[in-house]
Amino acid sequence: MGETAEKWRPTEHGANIGHTSAWMAHRKVALDVHRMFNEGDPDRAVIDAPYTVMALRHVIRGVRMAHSHLKTEAAKKLLNEALTDFHKVVPGGKKARDVIEHFDEYTMGIGNLQQPDVHRTRRQPDDELSEEFNHRLEWKQVGDERRPFYKAGPFEVDLVAAEDAAFRLVCDTYEALRLDEGSPLPRGWAYAAQRLSL
């Protein structure tokens, strides 16, 4: 008698797919930050940086997908706390990503954050607003370290801190999956195990 293999259904594995997607987006962020420090190519860093910020948003999207497919309240609570912790480290990340992604509007001064009280169809191009919301890579001294920051209008993302926060969030998502499956790990274990092994 042959065994019948049941077809794998992605719709039954949303939490795992979300976690995997978040992990892949984090790897993009980590690779970009690594290259900024180690390849010595300032042009590449300028090109990579806005897409690094956009990849951070994909980390969040993957984690939110995982959250929406968790079954237990304890696992959902863990991820809510993890998302809150991430946003404390990267407070302007979503808005910075909006400025980058909708460059066609923000460079004309007609973005949602530039003219929030004006209906989209009535916004007029504005050079001053365009200049206020330009985006660029900057390097700043933080303690003894020179670090890359991405500035998008009034929003600034410390790419080193954001990479670490994204990694912690991906690890917390793994722990939420384990908790949801009934085999919990202590909070922070996955992050500590992975960062110490690097």
Side-chain angles (χ1 to χ4, degrees), residues 123-156:
R123 294 177 187 159
Q124 295 297 313
D126 185 311
D127 288 326
E128 286 182 29
L129 287 175
S130 173
E131 187 58 35
E132 287 174 22
F133 277 78
N134 71 16
H135 53 96
R136 64 202 172 276
L137 176 66
E138 295 181 350
W139 289 82
K140 295 185 176 186
Q141 200 69 28
V142 177
D144 294 335
E145 183 180 36
R146 189 170 172 262
R147 289 163 65 154
F149 283 72
Y150 204 76
K151 200 162 171 48
F155 312 105
E156 186 175 76

PDB file of all heavy atoms in Angstrom, residues 123-156:
ATOM      1  N   ARG A 123      -3.668  69.270  -4.866  1.00  0.00           N
ATOM      2  CA  ARG A 123      -2.321  69.665  -4.442  1.00  0.00           C
ATOM      3  C   ARG A 123      -1.561  70.312  -5.604  1.00  0.00           C
ATOM      4  O   ARG A 123      -1.626  69.839  -6.733  1.00  0.00           O
ATOM      5  CB  ARG A 123      -1.545  68.457  -3.927  1.00  0.00           C
ATOM      6  CG  ARG A 123      -2.128  67.883  -2.663  1.00  0.00           C
ATOM      7  CD  ARG A 123      -1.395  66.653  -2.206  1.00  0.00           C
ATOM      8  NE  ARG A 123      -2.088  66.049  -1.076  1.00  0.00           N
ATOM      9  CZ  ARG A 123      -1.949  64.801  -0.698  1.00  0.00           C
ATOM     10  NH1 ARG A 123      -1.098  63.994  -1.332  1.00  0.00           N
ATOM     11  NH2 ARG A 123      -2.632  64.331   0.323  1.00  0.00           N
ATOM     12  N   GLN A 124      -0.831  71.365  -5.259  1.00  0.00           N
ATOM     13  CA  GLN A 124      -0.027  72.065  -6.252  1.00  0.00           C
ATOM     14  C   GLN A 124       1.457  71.805  -5.976  1.00  0.00           C
ATOM     15  O   GLN A 124       1.875  71.774  -4.821  1.00  0.00           O
ATOM     16  CB  GLN A 124      -0.299  73.579  -6.177  1.00  0.00           C
ATOM     17  CG  GLN A 124      -1.715  73.963  -6.549  1.00  0.00           C
ATOM     18  CD  GLN A 124      -2.034  73.620  -7.993  1.00  0.00           C
ATOM     19  OE1 GLN A 124      -1.261  73.917  -8.898  1.00  0.00           O
ATOM     20  NE2 GLN A 124      -3.174  72.962  -8.205  1.00  0.00           N
ATOM     21  N   PRO A 125       2.264  71.619  -7.030  1.00  0.00           N
ATOM     22  CA  PRO A 125       3.705  71.443  -6.831  1.00  0.00           C
ATOM     23  C   PRO A 125       4.286  72.595  -6.004  1.00  0.00           C
ATOM     24  O   PRO A 125       3.830  73.738  -6.112  1.00  0.00           O
ATOM     25  CB  PRO A 125       4.265  71.437  -8.257  1.00  0.00           C
ATOM     26  CG  PRO A 125       3.122  70.939  -9.089  1.00  0.00           C
ATOM     27  CD  PRO A 125       1.890  71.541  -8.443  1.00  0.00           C
ATOM     28  N   ASP A 126       5.259  72.246  -5.165  1.00  0.00           N
ATOM     29  CA  ASP A 126       5.829  73.223  -4.246  1.00  0.00           C
ATOM     30  C   ASP A 126       7.313  72.917  -4.077  1.00  0.00           C
ATOM     31  O   ASP A 126       7.689  71.899  -3.499  1.00  0.00           O
ATOM     32  CB  ASP A 126       5.092  73.124  -2.899  1.00  0.00           C
ATOM     33  CG  ASP A 126       5.518  74.181  -1.913  1.00  0.00           C
ATOM     34  OD1 ASP A 126       6.743  74.375  -1.706  1.00  0.00           O
ATOM     35  OD2 ASP A 126       4.631  74.804  -1.311  1.00  0.00           O
ATOM     36  N   ASP A 127       8.153  73.831  -4.592  1.00  0.00           N
ATOM     37  CA  ASP A 127       9.607  73.625  -4.540  1.00  0.00           C
ATOM     38  C   ASP A 127      10.143  73.575  -3.115  1.00  0.00           C
ATOM     39  O   ASP A 127      11.045  72.796  -2.813  1.00  0.00           O
ATOM     40  CB  ASP A 127      10.337  74.723  -5.324  1.00  0.00           C
ATOM     41  CG  ASP A 127      10.155  74.574  -6.824  1.00  0.00           C
ATOM     42  OD1 ASP A 127      10.080  73.425  -7.298  1.00  0.00           O
ATOM     43  OD2 ASP A 127      10.079  75.608  -7.523  1.00  0.00           O
ATOM     44  N   GLU A 128       9.599  74.399  -2.230  1.00  0.00           N
ATOM     45  CA  GLU A 128      10.084  74.402  -0.845  1.00  0.00           C
ATOM     46  C   GLU A 128       9.773  73.076  -0.154  1.00  0.00           C
ATOM     47  O   GLU A 128      10.623  72.522   0.545  1.00  0.00           O
ATOM     48  CB  GLU A 128       9.475  75.562  -0.060  1.00  0.00           C
ATOM     49  CG  GLU A 128      10.071  76.900  -0.424  1.00  0.00           C
ATOM     50  CD  GLU A 128       9.491  78.036   0.392  1.00  0.00           C
ATOM     51  OE1 GLU A 128       9.067  77.801   1.551  1.00  0.00           O
ATOM     52  OE2 GLU A 128       9.467  79.162  -0.122  1.00  0.00           O
ATOM     53  N   LEU A 129       8.556  72.563  -0.351  1.00  0.00           N
ATOM     54  CA  LEU A 129       8.207  71.269   0.237  1.00  0.00           C
ATOM     55  C   LEU A 129       9.054  70.156  -0.374  1.00  0.00           C
ATOM     56  O   LEU A 129       9.454  69.221   0.311  1.00  0.00           O
ATOM     57  CB  LEU A 129       6.723  70.968   0.048  1.00  0.00           C
ATOM     58  CG  LEU A 129       5.765  71.771   0.913  1.00  0.00           C
ATOM     59  CD1 LEU A 129       4.316  71.464   0.546  1.00  0.00           C
ATOM     60  CD2 LEU A 129       6.017  71.494   2.385  1.00  0.00           C
ATOM     61  N   SER A 130       9.322  70.274  -1.660  1.00  0.00           N
ATOM     62  CA  SER A 130      10.184  69.283  -2.310  1.00  0.00           C
ATOM     63  C   SER A 130      11.551  69.244  -1.634  1.00  0.00           C
ATOM     64  O   SER A 130      12.061  68.171  -1.300  1.00  0.00           O
ATOM     65  CB  SER A 130      10.342  69.625  -3.793  1.00  0.00           C
ATOM     66  OG  SER A 130      11.297  68.769  -4.390  1.00  0.00           O
ATOM     67  N   GLU A 131      12.125  70.414  -1.419  1.00  0.00           N
ATOM     68  CA  GLU A 131      13.445  70.490  -0.799  1.00  0.00           C
ATOM     69  C   GLU A 131      13.416  69.975   0.644  1.00  0.00           C
ATOM     70  O   GLU A 131      14.328  69.285   1.079  1.00  0.00           O
ATOM     71  CB  GLU A 131      13.966  71.930  -0.837  1.00  0.00           C
ATOM     72  CG  GLU A 131      15.396  72.069  -0.378  1.00  0.00           C
ATOM     73  CD  GLU A 131      16.388  71.233  -1.168  1.00  0.00           C
ATOM     74  OE1 GLU A 131      16.198  71.055  -2.387  1.00  0.00           O
ATOM     75  OE2 GLU A 131      17.359  70.737  -0.550  1.00  0.00           O
ATOM     76  N   GLU A 132      12.352  70.288   1.387  1.00  0.00           N
ATOM     77  CA  GLU A 132      12.231  69.830   2.771  1.00  0.00           C
ATOM     78  C   GLU A 132      12.155  68.310   2.875  1.00  0.00           C
ATOM     79  O   GLU A 132      12.517  67.735   3.893  1.00  0.00           O
ATOM     80  CB  GLU A 132      10.976  70.422   3.423  1.00  0.00           C
ATOM     81  CG  GLU A 132      11.078  71.890   3.753  1.00  0.00           C
ATOM     82  CD  GLU A 132       9.763  72.453   4.268  1.00  0.00           C
ATOM     83  OE1 GLU A 132       8.923  71.672   4.763  1.00  0.00           O
ATOM     84  OE2 GLU A 132       9.568  73.678   4.162  1.00  0.00           O
ATOM     85  N   PHE A 133      11.669  67.661   1.831  1.00  0.00           N
ATOM     86  CA  PHE A 133      11.468  66.211   1.865  1.00  0.00           C
ATOM     87  C   PHE A 133      12.430  65.459   0.948  1.00  0.00           C
ATOM     88  O   PHE A 133      12.151  64.333   0.551  1.00  0.00           O
ATOM     89  CB  PHE A 133      10.012  65.857   1.513  1.00  0.00           C
ATOM     90  CG  PHE A 133       9.089  65.958   2.683  1.00  0.00           C
ATOM     91  CD1 PHE A 133       8.640  67.194   3.117  1.00  0.00           C
ATOM     92  CD2 PHE A 133       8.681  64.819   3.366  1.00  0.00           C
ATOM     93  CE1 PHE A 133       7.790  67.303   4.208  1.00  0.00           C
ATOM     94  CE2 PHE A 133       7.836  64.918   4.459  1.00  0.00           C
ATOM     95  CZ  PHE A 133       7.388  66.165   4.883  1.00  0.00           C
ATOM     96  N   ASN A 134      13.565  66.074   0.612  1.00  0.00           N
ATOM     97  CA  ASN A 134      14.508  65.291  -0.189  1.00  0.00           C
ATOM     98  C   ASN A 134      15.073  64.165   0.670  1.00  0.00           C
ATOM     99  O   ASN A 134      14.956  64.180   1.887  1.00  0.00           O
ATOM    100  CB  ASN A 134      15.592  66.167  -0.821  1.00  0.00           C
ATOM    101  CG  ASN A 134      16.594  66.720   0.176  1.00  0.00           C
ATOM    102  OD1 ASN A 134      16.707  66.261   1.305  1.00  0.00           O
ATOM    103  ND2 ASN A 134      17.316  67.736  -0.239  1.00  0.00           N
ATOM    104  N   HIS A 135      15.643  63.164   0.025  1.00  0.00           N
ATOM    105  CA  HIS A 135      16.193  62.057   0.815  1.00  0.00           C
ATOM    106  C   HIS A 135      17.603  61.749   0.351  1.00  0.00           C
ATOM    107  O   HIS A 135      17.963  61.941  -0.806  1.00  0.00           O
ATOM    108  CB  HIS A 135      15.276  60.828   0.809  1.00  0.00           C
ATOM    109  CG  HIS A 135      14.869  60.327  -0.526  1.00  0.00           C
ATOM    110  ND1 HIS A 135      15.516  59.308  -1.169  1.00  0.00           N
ATOM    111  CD2 HIS A 135      13.848  60.692  -1.339  1.00  0.00           C
ATOM    112  CE1 HIS A 135      14.927  59.055  -2.311  1.00  0.00           C
ATOM    113  NE2 HIS A 135      13.911  59.883  -2.450  1.00  0.00           N
ATOM    114  N   ARG A 136      18.383  61.290   1.341  1.00  0.00           N
ATOM    115  CA  ARG A 136      19.803  61.098   1.071  1.00  0.00           C
ATOM    116  C   ARG A 136      20.452  60.246   2.174  1.00  0.00           C
ATOM    117  O   ARG A 136      19.937  60.170   3.287  1.00  0.00           O
ATOM    118  CB  ARG A 136      20.514  62.434   0.986  1.00  0.00           C
ATOM    119  CG  ARG A 136      20.481  63.193   2.307  1.00  0.00           C
ATOM    120  CD  ARG A 136      20.701  64.681   2.119  1.00  0.00           C
ATOM    121  NE  ARG A 136      20.491  65.423   3.342  1.00  0.00           N
ATOM    122  CZ  ARG A 136      19.316  65.841   3.781  1.00  0.00           C
ATOM    123  NH1 ARG A 136      18.232  65.570   3.111  1.00  0.00           N
ATOM    124  NH2 ARG A 136      19.217  66.538   4.895  1.00  0.00           N
ATOM    125  N   LEU A 137      21.578  59.683   1.837  1.00  0.00           N
ATOM    126  CA  LEU A 137      22.408  58.962   2.800  1.00  0.00           C
ATOM    127  C   LEU A 137      23.360  59.952   3.455  1.00  0.00           C
ATOM    128  O   LEU A 137      23.975  60.773   2.770  1.00  0.00           O
ATOM    129  CB  LEU A 137      23.200  57.865   2.089  1.00  0.00           C
ATOM    130  CG  LEU A 137      24.179  57.072   2.943  1.00  0.00           C
ATOM    131  CD1 LEU A 137      23.431  56.244   3.987  1.00  0.00           C
ATOM    132  CD2 LEU A 137      25.034  56.164   2.064  1.00  0.00           C
ATOM    133  N   GLU A 138      23.466  59.864   4.772  1.00  0.00           N
ATOM    134  CA  GLU A 138      24.417  60.677   5.522  1.00  0.00           C
ATOM    135  C   GLU A 138      25.209  59.761   6.439  1.00  0.00           C
ATOM    136  O   GLU A 138      24.713  58.721   6.853  1.00  0.00           O
ATOM    137  CB  GLU A 138      23.698  61.734   6.363  1.00  0.00           C
ATOM    138  CG  GLU A 138      22.954  62.773   5.569  1.00  0.00           C
ATOM    139  CD  GLU A 138      22.268  63.813   6.448  1.00  0.00           C
ATOM    140  OE1 GLU A 138      22.208  63.615   7.684  1.00  0.00           O
ATOM    141  OE2 GLU A 138      21.789  64.805   5.891  1.00  0.00           O
ATOM    142  N   TRP A 139      26.412  60.167   6.764  1.00  0.00           N
ATOM    143  CA  TRP A 139      27.228  59.438   7.737  1.00  0.00           C
ATOM    144  C   TRP A 139      27.388  60.321   8.958  1.00  0.00           C
ATOM    145  O   TRP A 139      27.703  61.506   8.837  1.00  0.00           O
ATOM    146  CB  TRP A 139      28.586  59.084   7.137  1.00  0.00           C
ATOM    147  CG  TRP A 139      28.479  58.025   6.085  1.00  0.00           C
ATOM    148  CD1 TRP A 139      28.143  58.209   4.778  1.00  0.00           C
ATOM    149  CD2 TRP A 139      28.668  56.632   6.267  1.00  0.00           C
ATOM    150  NE1 TRP A 139      28.116  56.999   4.127  1.00  0.00           N
ATOM    151  CE2 TRP A 139      28.438  56.018   5.005  1.00  0.00           C
ATOM    152  CE3 TRP A 139      29.009  55.834   7.356  1.00  0.00           C
ATOM    153  CZ2 TRP A 139      28.541  54.642   4.831  1.00  0.00           C
ATOM    154  CZ3 TRP A 139      29.121  54.470   7.169  1.00  0.00           C
ATOM    155  CH2 TRP A 139      28.887  53.884   5.920  1.00  0.00           C
ATOM    156  N   LYS A 140      27.164  59.736  10.145  1.00  0.00           N
ATOM    157  CA  LYS A 140      27.259  60.493  11.389  1.00  0.00           C
ATOM    158  C   LYS A 140      28.122  59.731  12.380  1.00  0.00           C
ATOM    159  O   LYS A 140      28.179  58.506  12.354  1.00  0.00           O
ATOM    160  CB  LYS A 140      25.867  60.713  11.994  1.00  0.00           C
ATOM    161  CG  LYS A 140      24.973  61.577  11.154  1.00  0.00           C
ATOM    162  CD  LYS A 140      23.678  61.829  11.880  1.00  0.00           C
ATOM    163  CE  LYS A 140      22.824  62.780  11.084  1.00  0.00           C
ATOM    164  NZ  LYS A 140      21.633  63.154  11.805  1.00  0.00           N
ATOM    165  N   GLN A 141      28.712  60.494  13.253  1.00  0.00           N
ATOM    166  CA  GLN A 141      29.510  59.901  14.318  1.00  0.00           C
ATOM    167  C   GLN A 141      28.588  59.538  15.476  1.00  0.00           C
ATOM    168  O   GLN A 141      27.853  60.377  15.984  1.00  0.00           O
ATOM    169  CB  GLN A 141      30.577  60.897  14.772  1.00  0.00           C
ATOM    170  CG  GLN A 141      31.732  60.275  15.493  1.00  0.00           C
ATOM    171  CD  GLN A 141      32.601  59.422  14.588  1.00  0.00           C
ATOM    172  OE1 GLN A 141      32.709  59.640  13.389  1.00  0.00           O
ATOM    173  NE2 GLN A 141      33.222  58.408  15.171  1.00  0.00           N
ATOM    174  N   VAL A 142      28.615  58.278  15.883  1.00  0.00           N
ATOM    175  CA  VAL A 142      27.861  57.804  17.043  1.00  0.00           C
ATOM    176  C   VAL A 142      28.886  57.154  17.968  1.00  0.00           C
ATOM    177  O   VAL A 142      29.388  56.067  17.681  1.00  0.00           O
ATOM    178  CB  VAL A 142      26.763  56.786  16.651  1.00  0.00           C
ATOM    179  CG1 VAL A 142      26.051  56.260  17.891  1.00  0.00           C
ATOM    180  CG2 VAL A 142      25.763  57.418  15.683  1.00  0.00           C
ATOM    181  N   GLY A 143      29.231  57.855  19.032  1.00  0.00           N
ATOM    182  CA  GLY A 143      30.306  57.366  19.903  1.00  0.00           C
ATOM    183  C   GLY A 143      31.605  57.316  19.111  1.00  0.00           C
ATOM    184  O   GLY A 143      32.011  58.304  18.503  1.00  0.00           O
ATOM    185  N   ASP A 144      32.216  56.137  19.069  1.00  0.00           N
ATOM    186  CA  ASP A 144      33.471  55.964  18.331  1.00  0.00           C
ATOM    187  C   ASP A 144      33.255  55.473  16.903  1.00  0.00           C
ATOM    188  O   ASP A 144      34.217  55.224  16.190  1.00  0.00           O
ATOM    189  CB  ASP A 144      34.370  54.948  19.070  1.00  0.00           C
ATOM    190  CG  ASP A 144      34.815  55.470  20.419  1.00  0.00           C
ATOM    191  OD1 ASP A 144      34.852  56.709  20.595  1.00  0.00           O
ATOM    192  OD2 ASP A 144      35.109  54.646  21.304  1.00  0.00           O
ATOM    193  N   GLU A 145      32.004  55.332  16.496  1.00  0.00           N
ATOM    194  CA  GLU A 145      31.708  54.719  15.208  1.00  0.00           C
ATOM    195  C   GLU A 145      31.068  55.717  14.234  1.00  0.00           C
ATOM    196  O   GLU A 145      30.186  56.477  14.605  1.00  0.00           O
ATOM    197  CB  GLU A 145      30.748  53.538  15.437  1.00  0.00           C
ATOM    198  CG  GLU A 145      30.401  52.763  14.200  1.00  0.00           C
ATOM    199  CD  GLU A 145      29.441  51.620  14.508  1.00  0.00           C
ATOM    200  OE1 GLU A 145      28.560  51.779  15.388  1.00  0.00           O
ATOM    201  OE2 GLU A 145      29.556  50.586  13.853  1.00  0.00           O
ATOM    202  N   ARG A 146      31.509  55.691  13.010  1.00  0.00           N
ATOM    203  CA  ARG A 146      30.884  56.460  11.931  1.00  0.00           C
ATOM    204  C   ARG A 146      29.818  55.557  11.308  1.00  0.00           C
ATOM    205  O   ARG A 146      30.133  54.460  10.855  1.00  0.00           O
ATOM    206  CB  ARG A 146      31.944  56.842  10.906  1.00  0.00           C
ATOM    207  CG  ARG A 146      31.474  57.797   9.868  1.00  0.00           C
ATOM    208  CD  ARG A 146      32.664  58.304   9.035  1.00  0.00           C
ATOM    209  NE  ARG A 146      32.185  59.078   7.918  1.00  0.00           N
ATOM    210  CZ  ARG A 146      32.032  58.613   6.692  1.00  0.00           C
ATOM    211  NH1 ARG A 146      32.373  57.370   6.402  1.00  0.00           N
ATOM    212  NH2 ARG A 146      31.569  59.380   5.719  1.00  0.00           N
ATOM    213  N   ARG A 147      28.550  56.021  11.319  1.00  0.00           N
ATOM    214  CA  ARG A 147      27.444  55.152  10.912  1.00  0.00           C
ATOM    215  C   ARG A 147      26.599  55.776   9.811  1.00  0.00           C
ATOM    216  O   ARG A 147      26.426  56.990   9.760  1.00  0.00           O
ATOM    217  CB  ARG A 147      26.551  54.856  12.112  1.00  0.00           C
ATOM    218  CG  ARG A 147      27.243  53.946  13.096  1.00  0.00           C
ATOM    219  CD  ARG A 147      26.626  53.938  14.447  1.00  0.00           C
ATOM    220  NE  ARG A 147      25.278  53.414  14.512  1.00  0.00           N
ATOM    221  CZ  ARG A 147      24.747  52.859  15.594  1.00  0.00           C
ATOM    222  NH1 ARG A 147      25.463  52.743  16.687  1.00  0.00           N
ATOM    223  NH2 ARG A 147      23.524  52.429  15.593  1.00  0.00           N
ATOM    224  N   PRO A 148      25.985  54.915   8.972  1.00  0.00           N
ATOM    225  CA  PRO A 148      25.110  55.419   7.919  1.00  0.00           C
ATOM    226  C   PRO A 148      23.693  55.680   8.446  1.00  0.00           C
ATOM    227  O   PRO A 148      23.118  54.855   9.145  1.00  0.00           O
ATOM    228  CB  PRO A 148      25.099  54.272   6.894  1.00  0.00           C
ATOM    229  CG  PRO A 148      25.345  53.038   7.709  1.00  0.00           C
ATOM    230  CD  PRO A 148      26.221  53.462   8.854  1.00  0.00           C
ATOM    231  N   PHE A 149      23.173  56.845   8.089  1.00  0.00           N
ATOM    232  CA  PHE A 149      21.797  57.232   8.407  1.00  0.00           C
ATOM    233  C   PHE A 149      21.114  57.576   7.091  1.00  0.00           C
ATOM    234  O   PHE A 149      21.728  58.199   6.229  1.00  0.00           O
ATOM    235  CB  PHE A 149      21.762  58.476   9.299  1.00  0.00           C
ATOM    236  CG  PHE A 149      22.091  58.217  10.737  1.00  0.00           C
ATOM    237  CD1 PHE A 149      23.392  57.926  11.136  1.00  0.00           C
ATOM    238  CD2 PHE A 149      21.098  58.275  11.698  1.00  0.00           C
ATOM    239  CE1 PHE A 149      23.696  57.702  12.463  1.00  0.00           C
ATOM    240  CE2 PHE A 149      21.397  58.052  13.042  1.00  0.00           C
ATOM    241  CZ  PHE A 149      22.693  57.759  13.421  1.00  0.00           C
ATOM    242  N   TYR A 150      19.872  57.169   6.958  1.00  0.00           N
ATOM    243  CA  TYR A 150      19.132  57.587   5.773  1.00  0.00           C
ATOM    244  C   TYR A 150      18.111  58.613   6.200  1.00  0.00           C
ATOM    245  O   TYR A 150      17.304  58.378   7.093  1.00  0.00           O
ATOM    246  CB  TYR A 150      18.458  56.420   5.048  1.00  0.00           C
ATOM    247  CG  TYR A 150      18.235  56.801   3.609  1.00  0.00           C
ATOM    248  CD1 TYR A 150      19.298  56.807   2.724  1.00  0.00           C
ATOM    249  CD2 TYR A 150      16.990  57.229   3.164  1.00  0.00           C
ATOM    250  CE1 TYR A 150      19.135  57.209   1.421  1.00  0.00           C
ATOM    251  CE2 TYR A 150      16.818  57.638   1.856  1.00  0.00           C
ATOM    252  CZ  TYR A 150      17.897  57.628   0.986  1.00  0.00           C
ATOM    253  OH  TYR A 150      17.728  58.043  -0.312  1.00  0.00           O
ATOM    254  N   LYS A 151      18.181  59.765   5.574  1.00  0.00           N
ATOM    255  CA  LYS A 151      17.300  60.886   5.908  1.00  0.00           C
ATOM    256  C   LYS A 151      16.301  61.048   4.769  1.00  0.00           C
ATOM    257  O   LYS A 151      16.693  61.165   3.607  1.00  0.00           O
ATOM    258  CB  LYS A 151      18.141  62.145   6.068  1.00  0.00           C
ATOM    259  CG  LYS A 151      17.480  63.227   6.840  1.00  0.00           C
ATOM    260  CD  LYS A 151      18.538  64.214   7.308  1.00  0.00           C
ATOM    261  CE  LYS A 151      17.951  65.467   7.909  1.00  0.00           C
ATOM    262  NZ  LYS A 151      16.916  65.266   8.875  1.00  0.00           N
ATOM    263  N   ALA A 152      15.019  61.014   5.113  1.00  0.00           N
ATOM    264  CA  ALA A 152      13.946  61.213   4.137  1.00  0.00           C
ATOM    265  C   ALA A 152      13.038  62.292   4.693  1.00  0.00           C
ATOM    266  O   ALA A 152      12.198  62.034   5.556  1.00  0.00           O
ATOM    267  CB  ALA A 152      13.181  59.913   3.899  1.00  0.00           C
ATOM    268  N   GLY A 153      13.252  63.514   4.238  1.00  0.00           N
ATOM    269  CA  GLY A 153      12.530  64.632   4.820  1.00  0.00           C
ATOM    270  C   GLY A 153      12.910  64.769   6.281  1.00  0.00           C
ATOM    271  O   GLY A 153      14.092  64.671   6.637  1.00  0.00           O
ATOM    272  N   PRO A 154      11.944  64.914   7.183  1.00  0.00           N
ATOM    273  CA  PRO A 154      12.258  65.055   8.598  1.00  0.00           C
ATOM    274  C   PRO A 154      12.503  63.722   9.310  1.00  0.00           C
ATOM    275  O   PRO A 154      12.773  63.702  10.510  1.00  0.00           O
ATOM    276  CB  PRO A 154      11.000  65.734   9.165  1.00  0.00           C
ATOM    277  CG  PRO A 154       9.907  65.295   8.264  1.00  0.00           C
ATOM    278  CD  PRO A 154      10.526  65.140   6.900  1.00  0.00           C
ATOM    279  N   PHE A 155      12.442  62.626   8.576  1.00  0.00           N
ATOM    280  CA  PHE A 155      12.573  61.292   9.171  1.00  0.00           C
ATOM    281  C   PHE A 155      13.968  60.751   8.911  1.00  0.00           C
ATOM    282  O   PHE A 155      14.490  60.851   7.811  1.00  0.00           O
ATOM    283  CB  PHE A 155      11.503  60.357   8.598  1.00  0.00           C
ATOM    284  CG  PHE A 155      10.145  60.979   8.618  1.00  0.00           C
ATOM    285  CD1 PHE A 155       9.567  61.451   7.458  1.00  0.00           C
ATOM    286  CD2 PHE A 155       9.471  61.146   9.815  1.00  0.00           C
ATOM    287  CE1 PHE A 155       8.333  62.071   7.473  1.00  0.00           C
ATOM    288  CE2 PHE A 155       8.236  61.759   9.854  1.00  0.00           C
ATOM    289  CZ  PHE A 155       7.662  62.231   8.675  1.00  0.00           C
ATOM    290  N   GLU A 156      14.543  60.172   9.957  1.00  0.00           N
ATOM    291  CA  GLU A 156      15.913  59.691   9.873  1.00  0.00           C
ATOM    292  C   GLU A 156      15.987  58.263  10.395  1.00  0.00           C
ATOM    293  O   GLU A 156      15.423  57.962  11.447  1.00  0.00           O
ATOM    294  CB  GLU A 156      16.792  60.619  10.712  1.00  0.00           C
ATOM    295  CG  GLU A 156      18.248  60.346  10.621  1.00  0.00           C
ATOM    296  CD  GLU A 156      19.033  61.399  11.383  1.00  0.00           C
ATOM    297  OE1 GLU A 156      19.062  61.332  12.625  1.00  0.00           O
ATOM    298  OE2 GLU A 156      19.608  62.280  10.728  1.00  0.00           O
TER     299      GLU A 156
END
